[in-house]
Amino acid sequence: MHRVRVLLIGWSSVLHGEATAGDLLSTEAVAQRLREDGAEVDLAFSPAVLRAYGPRGGLPYEDADEVLRVDPAAYTHVVWACGPLTGRPVQQVHERFPHARRLAVGVSVLDPADPAVTGFHAVVPRDAPGAAPGRDLAARPPAPAVPVVGAYLTRGQGEYGARRRHDEVADAVTGWLGGLDVARLELDTRVDPRDWRLPATAEQVLAVVSRLDVVVTTRLHGLVLALRAGVPALAVDPVAGGGKVSAQARAWGWPGLLSAEEVLAAGGGGALDEQLAWCTCGSGRAAAAAARAEAPAAGSEQLDALSAALHP
């Protein structure tokens, strides 16, 4: 049997392509099958996608000037996976790899006469005119779970004056979050029924919080709502010397707190990493569960004082 070496590419490979989770999962499904069949497989990605997939063994497909970075002579086959089979980037495959056997799989064929389609030696579509549709390949490969992290951050709170470190802390936290292998959600405790992107009620906010694995927050209520839901919170106080976030963490006896000074010192990555590790470990989850059990009694002393003030 002759040696088969495959370059596996798609819309996540080209410089101006759109990389979606579906593209990447479909590509992984194809790579898995080809390797099971005994082929050597290289996956190539665009510069942007390579930031995440380079450490997994991905190769650069083309550079910022759209110059090909792989050696066409190194491959016996080129496989294009997923997406619509049309457009200049697809046609370029036939020009760049004239001596390789070119295949496409899991793709949408809009026009069977399109040169982007006819240039392939074989096309196995997920949908095409006159053909029954097949289930998309993105449903196939197993994928390890990653933590879902909700971020509740603020750049406001002008009442703290010269003690404000909100912008610097938010930049440090978001820069750190961007480098993590987690599913990140930028969230807001603000409700506004006029804007479909925002929750319309407090219960809608709680519904989202309760489905997170960790909350990262510089907001007092980001901390409180996480603990109410039994979700570990990595709280950062954006006020120099400590403000209401620190006070609330003390009120709950919550150890998952960092000061603005700790986060801004040398970028704060080490301190943030350490706190996140605690939040995602058994002791962090147990502490959050304990806080949830105590939530119904929260603020009782304030309510008792209010009742006393009503009837002096």
Side-chain angles (χ1 to χ4, degrees), residues 4 42-43 56 81 92 132 142 145 158 195 206 223 254 271 288:
V4 174
D42 286 340
L43 281 69
R56 303 187 186 187
Q92 281 184 317
D195 188 341
L206 289 171
L223 169 61
W254 182 250

Side-chain angles (χ1 to χ4, degrees), residues 174-213:
T174 54
W176 167 74
L177 280 172
L180 298 179
D181 185 16
V182 299
R184 295 168 292 274
L185 295 175
E186 182 182 16
L187 300 171
D188 202 328
T189 58
R190 183 166 58 95
V191 299
D192 188 344
R194 301 166 300 177
D195 188 341
W196 71 270
R197 293 165 295 186
L198 292 172
T201 66
E203 291 76 16
Q204 292 174 15
V205 176
L206 289 171
V208 173
V209 173
S210 67
R211 287 162 172 79
L212 301 172
D213 294 311

Side-chain angles (χ1 to χ4, degrees), residues 2 19 23 41 87 96 246 298:
H2 68 280
D23 293 325
V41 182
R96 289 171 162 178
S246 295

Side-chain angles (χ1 to χ4, degrees), residues 144-165:
V146 298
V148 180
V149 176
Y152 290 95
L153 307 175
T154 177
R155 293 178 181 268
Q157 299 179 344
E159 63 270 22
Y160 283 102
R163 297 171 60 204
R164 291 185 69 259
R165 300 293 183 273

